[in-house]
Amino acid sequence: MKDFISMLDADRLFIENIISLSAFLKEKQKKGELYRPLEGFTAALIFEKPSTRTRVSFEVGVYQLGGHGVYMDTQGSQLGRGEPIKDTARVLSRYVDLIVIRTFGQERVEELARYASVPVINALTDQEHPCQVLADLFTIWEYKGELKGLKVAYLGDGNNMCNSWLVGAAYMGMRFYAATPKGYEPLEKYVKAAKEIAKSTGAEIVVTNDPEEAVKDADVIYTDVWASMGQEAEAEERRRIFTPYQVNGELVKLAKPDFLFMHCLPAHRGEEVTDEVIEGERSVVWDQAENRLHTQKALILKLVRRVRP
């Protein structure tokens, strides 16, 4: 694998390797042991969307591995003045060892990867958020010790998170229930791909409009904001439509007693989730956020083939 621009680029073995390497890197850090196999390594970090966790975890991760990250946004680069993405790809490939991009259209990442001669990582598009799903799977594995057969209830918008989760869950043989309002389902492309993968992994893929069906006996409850970046004008209408999908104290009673609550953050408390749940004892959102650092370090090492555990 040269690039990681979609969960469809992965498979079960790749995800298992990322989880194993993430655990190794996390343990190293916990012990205070330096692990810097990327001395002299450079990464271009292109952010065309605002970011907290993704930017900091990638920038810190590259540094902790011994490399240097060069942060770029549209205001401080020629991308903001209309330079073609393919030109940027070819130029940056002469300077750096890796390109990380957080942008709008999936096609921009695909074009960047097509013209770059160094690995490209999708740090989020409107269509996918594959790096987040790697961290999510690692977090669940840490708590549950396994992934296969676990039921994940995803509530809310069938957005980029849901698209990537469909595929990741299918690879790992999980039971993934996406509960969304009518008209807000995940893209059919990812539903079809997940169901095809499920034929060989034993996964169960269900898209429903019933939040209670999804949450019943769930091992994991997952949600995301109802209005993503660029959808602010729809926020009021979305609040009205999505209210039945709020993760609250009453709804989570339908899940297993030891369920995990997850959210990719930032959270709009009082909308998609109540304070009672996100601050509750079943919430693992802070471990989930931390694990972005460890899984992204693992991903970088896998793509640049400098793994020396």
Side-chain angles (χ1 to χ4, degrees), residues 2 25 36 51 69 71 74 106 112 115 121 137 160 172 182 184 187 196 206 226 248 253 256 262 264 266 274 308:
K2 170 182 170 286
L25 293 167
R36 300 172 67 83
S51 175
Y71 175 76
T74 51
Q106 182 75 11
L112 184 71
Y115 286 95
I121 294 176
L137 292 170
N160 50 3
M172 305 316 293
K182 289 182 179 179
Y184 293 88
L187 292 177
E196 187 61 32
V206 177
W226 292 340
N248 52 45
K253 290 177 182 178
K256 291 182 179 177
M262 304 182 77
C264 54
T274 60
R308 299 202 312 261

Side-chain angles (χ1 to χ4, degrees), residues 121-241:
I121 294 176
N122 177 359
L124 178 140
T125 65
D126 291 342
Q127 194 167 307
E128 285 208 47
H129 199 356
C131 290
Q132 178 69 57
V133 173
L134 292 181
D136 297 341
L137 292 170
F138 174 48
T139 305
I140 296 169
W141 175 83
E142 280 189 308
Y143 274 90
K144 299 294 187 181
E146 61 181 352
L147 295 174
K148 189 174 180 61
L150 295 181
K151 182 179 180 181
V152 178
Y154 180 97
L155 273 66
D157 191 15
N159 58 14
N160 50 3
M161 277 308 318
C162 190
N163 291 334
S164 292
W165 245 111
L166 279 161
V167 178
Y171 281 135
M172 305 316 293
M174 305 175 84
R175 301 173 60 214
F176 187 78
Y177 279 62
T180 73
K182 289 182 179 179
Y184 293 88
E185 293 86 357
L187 292 177
E188 188 60 25
K189 166 186 173 180
Y190 294 96
V191 176
K192 286 183 177 179
K195 288 184 176 181
E196 187 61 32
I197 294 166
K199 293 177 182 178
S200 60
T201 64
E204 181 183 8
I205 304 297
V206 177
V207 177
T208 178
N209 302 123
D210 185 351
E212 293 189 359
E213 177 190 3
V215 172
K216 183 174 174 55
D217 296 325
D219 297 284
V220 179
I221 301 175
Y222 199 112
T223 192
D224 191 7
V225 295
W226 292 340
S228 299
M229 283 178 280
Q231 298 173 332
E232 289 80 6
E234 307 171 30
E236 190 58 43
E237 177 69 4
R238 282 173 170 262
R239 273 192 288 273
R240 182 184 65 79
I241 294 171

